[in-house]
């Protein structure tokens, strides 16, 4: 059985060092933020490279704290995971995202990030099912993005969770592919519908032949496994040109559109 994480962090202790105290304070603020509705969502466009058409939007969480101001996810997701607040936050994100997407044109998909903690500590299949019924969003329009760290903790549990999600008709993308623990074994044994090529590859794409070779290899892998590849962090038309000539399917990044508060405001410069 999983240990309960919800009681983990949220107390003060005179012995704590500054870092621990800051984190405890943030954990307390996070629980309050849930109650007070300080979170909002941004949307970033995803486009087909061949046709330039919008295929969907990724949902990105934003925290507007009354004193701290805008707190970026890199500064709070980890604390939220440690203290368990990511469970109610993640549930809110999923529900809001599906509610919003149900108002879009019906060919557009919505991509929602899932924390490893949601897979390890929530009945994610039941939650997704419930939210789809509540919001009446067609399951084929929802994509859940997971990182490989979701899988390595407990492979069997992760497999069961992903299968429950797939059984609903919801698709699954592997996020940040090519970094961290990425292994070919995971790609082969889990039922992914999309590979999201980590944006670290884009940075070097125009400079190094090695980066290009890596991208080409991952695209070939996707092709062999019949899994489409989306490139993240596309900032320049040079990068987009290379991706197009290498047969990459979709792209996301500042060139195509910055994250914005509404899908209309997530506008592209070029495509
Ligand atoms: P991610 O899932 O890899 O999301 C993509 C991040 O790259 C976003 O940062 C996005 O704003 C940024 N980005 C997009 N295009 C470009 C580009 O062209 N160049 C550069 N330099 N960056 C670009 P953001 O919104 O700060 O989110 C950071 C991370 O926080 C996300 O990485 C994801 O891991 C996590 N996150 C965000 N929202 C959620 C959520 O609702 N739930 C969970 N569990 N995690 C979330
Ligand atoms: Ca993501
Ligand atoms: Ca990513
Ligand atoms: Ca990332």
């Amino acid at each position: 059985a999983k240990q309960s994480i919800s009681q983990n962090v949220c107390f003060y202790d005179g012995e704590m060092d500054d870092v621990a105290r800051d984190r405890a304070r943030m954990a307390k603020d996070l629980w309050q933020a849930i109650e007070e509705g300080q979170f909002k969502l941004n949307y970033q466009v995803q486009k087909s490279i061949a046709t330039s058409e919008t295929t969907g939007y990724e949902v990105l969480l934003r925290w507007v704290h009354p004193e701290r101001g805008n707190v970026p996810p890199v500064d709070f997701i980890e604390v939220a995971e440690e203290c368990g607040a990511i469970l109610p936050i993640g549930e809110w994100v999923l529900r809001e995202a599906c509610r919003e997407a149900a108002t879009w044109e019906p060919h557009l998909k919505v991509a929602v990030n899932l924390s490893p903690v949601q897979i390890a500590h929530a009945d994610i299949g039941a939650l997704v099912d419930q939210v789809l019924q509540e919001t009446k969003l067609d399951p084929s329009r929802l994509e859940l993005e997971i990182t490989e760290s979701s899988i390595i903790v407990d492979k069997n549990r992760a497999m069961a969770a992903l299968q429950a999600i797939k059984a609903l008709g919801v698709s699954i993308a592997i996020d940040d592919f090519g970094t961290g623990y990425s292994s070919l074994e995971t790609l082969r044994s889990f039922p992914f519908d999309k590979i999201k090529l980590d944006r670290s590859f884009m940075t070097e794409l125009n400079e190094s032949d090695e980066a290009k070779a890596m991208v080409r290899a991952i695209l070939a892998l996707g092709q062999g496994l019949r899994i489409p590849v989306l490139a993240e962090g596309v900032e320049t038309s040079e990068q987009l040109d290379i991706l197009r000539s290498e047969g990459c399917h979709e792209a996301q990044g500042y060139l195509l559109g910055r994250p914005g508060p509404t899908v209309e405001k997530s506008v592209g410069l070029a495509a």
Side-chain angles (χ1 to χ4, degrees):
K2 294 283 159 201
Q3 66 169 103
S4 166
I5 51 161
S6 53
Q7 320 142 317
N8 258 359
V9 153
C10 314
F11 59 87
Y12 288 96
D13 179 327
E15 305 280 290
M16 279 179 168
D17 61 26
D18 286 354
V19 175
R21 202 167 44 239
D22 284 353
R23 290 171 88 90
R25 209 169 271 147
M26 181 173 274
K28 188 166 155 280
D29 283 1
L30 281 166
W31 291 105
Q32 194 172 349
I34 297 166
E35 274 175 36
E36 296 184 1
Q38 294 168 8
F39 295 105
K40 57 181 188 134
L41 299 181
N42 268 356
Y43 301 88
Q44 186 177 32
V45 73
Q46 301 180 327
K47 291 192 179 201
S48 155
I49 293 179
T51 69
S52 304
E53 267 164 61
T54 297
T55 52
Y57 293 85
E58 179 178 1
V59 171
L60 295 161
L61 181 60
R62 297 291 176 259
W63 180 16
V64 189
H65 185 273
E67 285 114 45
R68 299 172 194 257
N70 287 319
V71 189
V74 284
D75 291 348
F76 72 84
I77 295 280
E78 206 181 299
V79 177
E81 288 174 337
E82 272 175 17
C83 75
I86 196 68
L87 295 176
I89 295 170
E91 182 172 339
W92 178 84
V93 171
L94 182 68
R95 188 170 279 113
E96 275 302 300
C98 290
R99 208 199 309 264
E100 177 65 26
T103 70
W104 301 345
E105 288 175 54
H107 66 279
L108 296 172
K109 292 185 78 161
V110 63
V112 178
N113 291 288
L114 279 192
S115 159
V117 174
Q118 289 175 278
I119 291 173
H121 296 273
D123 186 348
I124 194 70
L127 175 64
V128 171
D129 189 23
Q130 186 197 332
V131 168
L132 287 171
Q133 291 191 31
E134 267 174 45
T135 60
K136 302 193 166 57
L137 183 73
D138 190 306
S140 67
R141 297 180 56 200
L142 176 61
E143 184 155 82
L144 298 174
E145 298 193 357
I146 69 161
T147 55
E148 214 152 13
S149 48
S150 294
I151 287 164
I152 53 168
V153 187
D154 182 341
K155 267 194 177 229
N156 293 331
R157 190 183 165 98
M159 183 64 92
L162 297 202
Q163 277 166 350
I165 290 166
K166 293 279 292 180
L168 299 169
V170 170
S171 57
I172 299 164
I174 178 138
D175 206 353
D176 301 344
F177 189 79
T179 63
Y181 301 95
S182 291
S183 78
L184 303 181
E185 173 58 20
T186 314
L187 204 56
R188 192 170 61 95
S189 47
F190 283 83
F192 296 116
D193 302 287
K194 188 181 286 180
I195 295 169
K196 293 194 77 178
L197 184 62
D198 191 74
R199 81 175 138 86
S200 57
F201 292 98
M202 289 309 110
T203 330
E204 290 184 63
L205 197 54
N206 3 20
E207 284 127 46
S208 91
D209 288 345
E210 287 79 6
K212 213 179 194 175
M214 293 289 287
V215 169
R216 201 177 281 142
I218 293 172
L219 287 168
L221 190 62
Q223 204 165 30
L225 296 168
R226 291 188 201 80
I227 307 174
V229 179
L230 178 149
E232 299 189 283
V234 179
E235 295 182 354
T236 68
S237 48
E238 289 79 7
Q239 290 165 343
L240 192 62
D241 288 344
I242 295 170
L243 292 166
R244 184 181 291 114
S245 68
E246 299 296 334
C248 186
H249 305 84
E250 285 177 78
Q252 180 181 346
Y254 295 163
L255 177 72
L256 303 125
R258 297 217 169 222
T262 62
V263 297
E264 290 79 18
K265 291 213 170 112
S266 168
V267 278
L269 303 171

